[in-house]
Amino acid sequence: MNTRSQIVCGLAGILGVLVILPAFLIADYFVPPAADWTPQEFSDFYRGETDRIRAGLLMLLLAVVGWGAVVAVITVQMLRYEGRRPVLTALFALSGITTYVLLTLFGVFLTAAAFRPERSGEDIQLLHDVGWFMAFLTAPAFATQAFALGATVLGARTAVHPRWFGYLNLWIGVLLLPGVLLLFFHDGPFAYHGVISYWIPLFTFGGWMAVMGMIAVLTAQAEAKAGAGLEAREAVPV
């Protein structure tokens, strides 16, 4: 494997997390618009600081690239677990592609809402709702990815990633799943601006992305050291 490429992809994941928080702050999404806002309130929000919202969303779209990079490197490292029939690795990769697209669409729909703030409040509200759903209502795809990775790590005979990383992924899947209930609420903790559907998934996902990036880097470095040691032993004359 190309150790440098793995390390770069892992660092891209960590960097992506460091960009996401400022992006949310700049776009004024850190404390997001509430699901029970009226169309007029959504219209006022997107007309108030349009360029600032656009700048934050552009940063968010760039940060999502880090998610794609870390998914790619973890997928490659998972292939060392399952051998010729990497079913769980394929499930992780498929889910990772799906979540990468969903996160991109999250930014795209919100950008569409900010692109023409002169639209009717109803249209802006619709675009915002669809954008928010892309990231938070679609929690099953993210949870599937976490469960697949956790099960692979814990079920492996050969250690590639630490076992605590497997348990962590299972917990992450559990923490993300309740977000699907936002479909039934406009206010309270299950609404898409509430604790269970927004705050817990936001910090859970950010921490998950950062940890995956860190694990990817450490695993690549350990693999390189092991390979160098093997080459050195083979070079010793008998």
Side-chain angles (χ1 to χ4, degrees):
M1 297 181 191
N2 189 319
T3 302
R4 182 176 299 177
S5 296
Q6 292 184 69
I7 292 175
V8 168
C9 285
L11 292 176
I14 297 172
L15 179 61
V17 175
L18 297 177
V19 173
I20 287 175
L21 180 57
F24 267 64
L25 289 170
I26 291 171
D28 206 15
Y29 287 135
F30 189 68
V31 179
D36 58 355
W37 275 14
T38 65
Q40 185 59 51
E41 287 175 303
F42 276 101
S43 178
D44 292 342
F45 173 80
Y46 279 96
R47 291 177 183 176
E49 296 286 348
T50 304
D51 288 337
R52 185 162 63 88
I53 294 172
R54 291 171 179 169
L57 288 170
L58 177 58
M59 290 176 62
L60 178 63
L61 286 168
L62 293 174
V64 169
V65 175
W67 176 249
V70 80
V71 167
V73 66
I74 291 292
T75 299
V76 169
Q77 293 176 353
M78 286 175 68
L79 288 171
R80 295 168 56 189
Y81 286 111
E82 294 191 282
R84 297 173 59 185
R85 296 178 176 85
V87 176
L88 290 176
T89 300
L91 180 59
F92 175 85
L94 178 61
S95 301
I97 293 169
T98 301
T99 56
Y100 181 72
V101 172
L102 290 171
L103 290 173
T104 301
L105 290 175
F106 168 57
V108 167
F109 275 99
L110 295 178
T111 302
F115 184 65
R116 298 188 192 277
E118 69 276 8
R119 294 177 191 268
S120 69
E122 288 79 6
D123 288 344
I124 292 176
Q125 183 185 50
L126 174 62
L127 289 168
H128 180 89
D129 284 348
V130 173
W132 221 247
F133 289 168
M134 289 292 173
F136 296 97
L137 182 62
T138 54
F142 293 89
T144 298
Q145 189 179 357
F147 289 142
L149 178 53
T152 304
V153 173
L154 294 176
R157 295 181 180 179
T158 303
V160 177
H161 300 128
R163 286 188 64 81
W164 64 261
F165 184 53
Y167 289 112
L168 176 66
N169 274 275
L170 297 183
W171 275 112
I172 285 170
V174 171
L175 290 172
L176 291 176
L177 271 179
V180 298
L181 297 176
L182 66 86
L183 182 62
F184 301 99
F185 298 91
H186 287 163
D187 57 14
F190 288 100
Y192 69 46
H193 62 285
V195 172
I196 294 175
S197 296
Y198 172 71
W199 289 104
I200 291 177
L202 177 66
F203 286 102
T204 298
F205 176 79
W208 184 33
M209 185 172 169
V211 170
M212 282 209 293
M214 178 190 70
I215 288 293
V217 170
L218 294 177
T219 300
Q221 291 174 336
E223 180 187 31
K225 289 179 181 178
L230 179 60
E231 291 177 0
R233 288 195 298 270
E234 291 176 346
V236 174
V238 177

